Amino acid sequence: MNQQEIQTSKQLSQRQQQQELPPAPEAAGAAVQEHTSQDQQVQGGGDGAAGGHHHHRGSSKKLTLLPLVFLIYFEVAGGPYGAEQAIRAAGPLFTLVGFLVFPFAWGVPESLVTAELSAALPGNGGFVRWADRAFGPLAGSLLGTWKYLSCVINIAAYPALVADYLGRAAIPSVAGAAIPSVAGAGKARTATVVAMTVLLSLVNYAGLSIVGWGAVALGLVSLAPFVLMTGIAAPKVRPWRWKVEVEGRRKDWRLFLNTLFWNLNYWDSASTMAGEVERPERTFPRALAVAVVLIAASYLLPLMAATGATDAPPEAWTNGYLADAAGIIGGSWLKYWIEAGAVLSSIGMFEAQLSSGAFQLLGMADLGLLPSVFARRATRFRTPWVAIAASSAVALAVSFLGFDDVVATANFLYSLGTLLEFAAFLCLRARQPDLKRPYRVPLPLPALVAMCAVPSVFLAYVCAVAGWRVFALAGALTALGVGLHGAMKLCRSKDWLRFNTAVVAAAEDHRADASDGDRV
């Protein structure tokens, strides 16, 4: 079983062109920290042209707690689809323990880091801002490259996954090759994948508020059959079934751990939209806390019900077997509902992750790491339409790649990016203890190092077990990220493209002041 199979089962402002001089040095630090929300500074023009006012007409449509919870839910999980491989690899008992422990051992540290830094540096771009503030623009650009490529590879899987479900259920001509590759598929499948990508991207263009409340609706509808299955199965559960062992072969710990990882990562992705969240210093910590519990329960309870109420051996738990188990427990209607829920979950994951990728590009443009064209917002919906279009185009191109190591490379790049993210968190705590942190993880620095060490060991393991082709491809993409940063720096110095140079100047002034302070 390769990582592509794991991945397929789980998943898919223009800021005002500032004409004034850069801020004075004494205001530079505040400008960098508070330079957060395009909502306060963008123009009304859909083409990003300069306007005569700063008022954001969509300020009343900022994300509130419930939509943010479900956006995080779809960034990370989208439901227990794909957890079957863990049972096949190590048996029911280890799977239940894994989905009980892993959301807290892995999700809580990353959620705490995200909560603190999203509140302290709440602009769009999220983790890119954190690395830029801690280590400078090269680190921010490189982290942005790693995370963005990982994100768009995930996005590419979901329209193809929807096409596969449609092919199995009603339209056989659109079923095709393994996801995310559609190599060798017929014209009907290709047209379906393209049409789904365009349609779902247009939904994203309609506004983050619509995407957020849409995520709430999709989440409730897709979770409902698992709630019913758990309730129906409760009288039939026999705990001894959870202890059934994998027979005839050794436990596949690599597959087991990778299944947990792929089903429970990307806790930090919603941080790229922090500038669109109402009172992020309060909303982010609460949303992440609720999401951790929701996601853990959404895996653990259905798996306890399905494995405890059926007699299927671990070998039967292939991708999609949860729907078969639901059919055994509650009847064919429940099976079909869970299969339909898989389609809805794929749509929710596409929308949530496309939003994160697009707002990451917008945030990088705000920081002067990308040309300001990526910060352009639509006049009516205030969405970063250039970034959405670019992300959709890249994801569509990735969906046609036919080699197996693409998803493994995304896993590797995500791990590298998260390691750098933890390093930025610890660096900012150590070097900038006076940074205003509306939410602060209530631990001293040594305890924070220990907190980050647990997930970091797993991330290092993921990197270490990658094959040589993954190393080579990840190295090439990393070199591309470094080269892109150099190219953007050259274009900015030569004035070949338009950048938010006032932000860059403010950041450079702030770093110079911080460096002087360190020397003193």
Side-chain angles (χ1 to χ4, degrees):
M1 178 63 57
N2 59 38
Q3 295 202 38
Q4 181 172 343
E5 291 171 315
I6 300 170
Q7 166 67 358
T8 61
S9 64
K10 184 240 182 186
Q11 346 230 182
L12 293 316
S13 117
Q14 166 82 25
R15 178 181 293 274
Q16 180 181 357
Q17 295 296 321
Q18 302 191 22
Q19 303 299 321
E20 56 271 13
L21 293 174
E26 62 271 14
V32 176
Q33 180 175 346
E34 304 298 335
H35 204 70
T36 59
S37 177
Q38 292 75 19
D39 300 332
Q40 300 170 356
Q41 296 192 22
V42 333
Q43 296 76 14
D47 61 354
H53 59 85
H54 292 215
H55 179 63
H56 182 225
R57 288 171 288 185
S59 59
S60 62
K61 296 183 179 180
K62 286 203 166 193
L63 286 175
T64 53
L65 178 63
L66 188 60
L68 183 59
V69 166
F70 277 91
L71 283 173
I72 295 170
Y73 168 78
F74 279 115
E75 296 278 9
V76 176
Y81 306 102
E84 297 98 333
Q85 294 298 335
I87 298 173
R88 181 179 178 85
L93 183 60
F94 282 103
T95 298
L96 296 178
V97 173
F99 279 106
L100 174 64
V101 173
F102 203 77
F104 297 94
W106 163 256
V108 168
E110 193 173 10
S111 295
L112 290 173
V113 169
T114 301
E116 177 170 310
L117 292 181
S118 294
L121 303 169
N124 290 322
F127 40 72
V128 178
R129 286 181 174 270
W130 312 340
D132 180 86
R133 181 67 176 263
F135 303 120
L138 176 58
S141 180
L142 191 57
L143 177 56
T145 300
W146 286 336
K147 294 274 190 169
Y148 182 75
L149 290 173
S150 178
C151 175
V152 294
I153 290 172
N154 277 342
I155 294 171
Y158 304 129
L161 181 60
V162 172
D164 274 0
Y165 277 111
L166 291 175
R168 287 195 291 268
I171 315 173
S173 62
V174 305
I179 305 166
S181 171
V182 293
K187 293 181 179 179
R189 177 178 175 79
T190 301
T192 301
V193 171
V194 173
M196 287 296 302
T197 302
V198 173
L199 177 62
L200 295 178
S201 300
L202 289 175
V203 173
N204 211 273
Y205 172 80
L208 192 55
S209 178
I210 291 176
V211 172
W213 285 107
V216 174
L218 290 171
L220 293 176
V221 174
S222 62
L223 281 172
F226 292 108
V227 174
L228 291 174
M229 182 184 75
T230 301
I232 296 171
K236 307 175 184 179
V237 168
R238 301 294 180 267
W240 60 264
R241 293 186 176 119
W242 296 334
K243 297 187 290 184
V244 173
E245 293 285 340
V246 176
E247 295 183 0
R249 58 184 175 84
R250 298 176 61 185
K251 294 180 176 64
D252 189 342
W253 294 114
R254 181 177 176 179
L255 173 60
F256 174 74
L257 290 173
N258 276 315
T259 302
L260 293 178
F261 181 69
W262 273 111
N263 279 275
L264 295 168
N265 58 13
Y266 292 94
W267 292 93
D268 57 345
S269 292
S271 69
T272 63
M273 303 177 283
E276 312 302 307
V277 175
E278 183 178 284
R279 301 182 68 187
E281 70 279 359
R282 292 173 56 86
T283 306
F284 254 101
R286 294 177 178 181
L288 285 162
V290 174
V292 168
V293 176
L294 173 64
I295 289 168
S298 72
Y299 280 102
L300 188 61
L301 296 180
L303 290 175
M304 290 177 68
T307 57
T310 64
D311 293 314
E315 294 74 21
W317 284 82
T318 56
N319 293 339
Y321 188 78
L322 262 175
D324 294 334
I328 295 171
I329 292 169
S332 58
W333 64 273
L334 189 57
K335 174 183 177 180
Y336 296 144
W337 191 352
I338 285 181
E339 288 178 339
V343 176
L344 298 179
S345 177
S346 297
I347 293 172
M349 289 188 286
F350 180 97
E351 296 294 350
Q353 294 185 21
L354 179 59
S355 294
S356 289
F359 278 98
Q360 180 189 325
L361 294 185
L362 183 151
M364 293 178 74
D366 284 342
L367 290 170
L369 299 175
L370 289 177
S372 56
V373 65
F374 286 102
R376 289 185 175 180
R377 291 183 184 247
T379 303
R380 179 177 179 183
F381 300 113
R382 312 309 307 155
T383 46
W385 66 274
V386 174
I388 290 173
S391 298
S392 299
V394 174
L396 187 59
V398 170
S399 71
F400 287 91
L401 295 178
F403 54 96
D404 293 338
D405 290 318
V406 171
V407 172
T409 303
N411 194 359
F412 189 93
L413 294 176
Y414 176 83
S415 299
L416 290 178
T418 306
L419 287 170
L420 180 55
E421 184 179 305
F422 286 150
F425 170 71
L426 296 174
C427 176
L428 289 172
R429 267 296 189 100
R431 298 179 61 184
Q432 299 184 29
D434 296 329
L435 175 67
K436 183 180 179 182
R437 293 173 170 88
Y439 171 79
R440 184 183 182 94
V441 180
L443 294 172
L445 185 59
L448 293 176
V449 173
M451 181 190 79
C452 294
V454 174
S456 295
V457 168
F458 184 76
L459 292 168
Y461 167 80
V462 171
C463 293
V465 300
W468 69 267
R469 287 181 297 184
V470 173
F471 280 115
L473 186 55
L477 292 174
T478 299
L480 177 65
V482 174
L484 176 64
H485 176 73
M488 293 297 99
K489 189 174 181 179
L490 177 64
C491 290
R492 186 167 54 245
S493 65
K494 298 292 186 180
D495 205 23
W496 290 340
L497 296 171
R498 298 186 69 182
F499 290 84
N500 290 325
T501 52
V503 182
V504 177
E508 290 174 349
D509 287 345
H510 172 75
R511 292 190 189 98
D513 291 346
S515 178
D516 291 341
D518 290 342
R519 286 195 292 270
V520 173

